[in-house]
Amino acid sequence: MPFAKTESMGVQQVTDDEPNDDSSWDLIIRPSASLVSLPLAEIWRYRDLLYLFTRRDIVAFYKQTILGPLWFFIQPIFTTLIYVLVFGNIAGLSTDGAPQVAFYLCGITFWNYFADCFNKTATVFKDNAHVFGKVYFPRIIMPLSIVLSNLVRFGIQSCLLLLCIAWYDATGEIQPNRYALLIPALVAAMATLGLAMGMLFSAMTTKYRDMAFLLQFGVQLLMYATPVIYPSSEMPERVASILSWNPLAPIFEAARYGLLGAGNVTAGSIGYSITFTLIAFVASTAVFNRVQRTVMDTV
């Protein structure tokens, strides 16, 4: 006896020998009526699947490795040391008076989270076409699991950052302030922006494979347009006016100002970043919902 039926583009796919009464089915899958709607009820119904995907991503990160979860700390530590050597000592870039280790570790921790969300979400349709073609579940579950698994990694790496901040705070070299209370909101904005850009690229990559090549070096270029390895205050006025359009810049400056006491942040710049993030999320959701209806025909 059938247990589910699918309604595609408003037409019920029911054969003559199948009952037409909806009450006889266990699950009825209908297309979303609005492109900008989020299937929150379905996401909650499939929360166990979301948990399994999130756990899978976390375990797969260090599975079959010798050092295991230590890789969560090795990567930011070695990257910070290289940045201190290259950008701090050789290039002589300013850190706005903050200790170089804390300055670069703060930037790297936040950037890694955004970049991982963006990069891994941007290939959702291409990487999971074999799953999407066999079983139904809300497609947005997959990018959400990527954001959540990366959030766990961000939380673990943040412990290393907090230890570093506690050390320099004890020595009086940094002055954390009340802006640090904005960190959860800043992380949420950063995750939403990474999710939005990833979903947009994922939808476009199914039809235009050129976007995959753009993604490979585009994220690296975006890092240099974001105050990860330099403070915005050191930028020439003309360059700073251009970089101010980057919605990530206020997030990084605000986080660094709250945690280290070094950085330039205004309420207007944070408001711009949040507004841009919300608009980008709505737009990418519409594109994602539109593409998921026909993705199996094009991917």
Side-chain angles (χ1 to χ4, degrees):
M1 182 177 180
F3 60 88
K5 70 176 181 179
T6 302
E7 295 179 6
S8 176
M9 303 301 292
V11 179
Q12 294 186 3
Q13 299 176 348
V14 183
T15 58
D16 293 338
D17 58 343
E18 293 173 342
N20 290 322
D21 185 6
D22 287 348
S23 61
S24 61
W25 299 88
D26 298 309
L27 177 64
I28 301 175
I29 304 171
R30 292 188 174 91
S32 175
S34 173
L35 288 178
V36 296
S37 65
L38 281 175
L40 297 179
E42 275 197 309
I43 292 174
W44 176 252
R45 188 188 309 155
Y46 285 85
R47 59 188 181 280
D48 291 338
L49 184 63
L50 177 62
Y51 167 75
L52 289 175
F53 280 143
T54 304
R55 183 178 180 276
R56 180 203 61 178
D57 291 342
I58 296 172
V59 173
F61 180 78
Y62 58 80
K63 192 175 184 180
Q64 293 182 330
T65 62
I66 297 175
L67 299 178
L70 288 178
W71 284 110
F72 286 127
F73 303 104
I74 292 175
Q75 189 266 347
I77 290 175
F78 276 85
T79 305
T80 299
L81 294 178
I82 293 298
Y83 281 10
V84 169
L85 175 64
V86 176
F87 299 113
N89 295 333
I90 298 178
L93 294 182
S94 170
T95 57
D96 260 356
Q100 291 181 347
V101 172
F103 183 89
Y104 292 121
L105 183 59
C106 182
I108 290 169
T109 303
F110 277 79
W111 176 256
N112 282 348
Y113 180 49
F114 171 78
D116 285 343
C117 290
F118 187 5
N119 280 324
K120 296 178 180 177
T121 306
T123 56
V124 160
F125 280 134
K126 182 168 65 70
D127 294 344
N128 299 281
H130 61 291
V131 178
F132 291 160
K134 294 178 180 176
V135 62
Y136 172 79
F137 60 88
R139 304 311 188 213
I140 201 170
I141 286 283
M142 198 65 80
L144 281 178
S145 69
I146 293 173
V147 171
L148 291 177
S149 63
N150 284 317
L151 181 62
V152 174
R153 278 199 284 271
F154 173 77
I156 295 173
Q157 294 181 347
S158 293
C159 295
L160 179 65
L161 175 61
L162 292 176
L163 287 175
C164 178
I165 291 173
W167 169 264
Y168 284 111
D169 184 35
T171 60
E173 297 181 65
I174 60 175
Q175 292 82 38
N177 51 62
R178 60 183 180 179
Y179 277 84
L181 298 176
L182 294 176
I183 294 298
L186 297 175
V187 172
M190 190 170 56
T192 304
L193 186 58
L195 176 65
M197 296 181 68
M199 289 197 303
L200 185 63
F201 265 73
S202 181
M204 292 191 297
T205 303
T206 59
K207 199 169 185 178
Y208 307 103
R209 296 302 173 94
D210 308 73
M211 304 306 294
F213 297 102
L214 175 62
L215 178 68
Q216 291 177 1
F217 68 91
V219 176
Q220 297 178 6
L221 296 180
L222 182 59
M223 190 192 80
Y224 291 107
T226 305
V228 177
I229 57 175
Y230 58 83
S232 296
S233 59
E234 293 300 314
M235 289 293 100
E237 185 176 350
R238 184 176 180 181
V239 177
S241 63
I242 298 175
L243 295 182
S244 64
W245 290 98
N246 180 0
L248 287 172
I251 295 177
F252 278 73
E253 285 291 315
R256 196 172 277 150
Y257 181 73
L259 295 173
L260 309 180
N264 294 324
V265 59
T266 63
S269 62
I270 295 179
Y272 162 73
S273 182
I274 293 176
T275 302
F276 184 97
T277 298
L278 293 176
I279 294 175
F281 183 69
V282 172
S284 63
T285 300
V287 175
F288 190 87
N289 288 340
R290 177 67 180 84
V291 171
Q292 71 171 343
R293 296 179 178 180
T294 58
V295 63
M296 296 314 302
D297 297 328
T298 57
V299 71

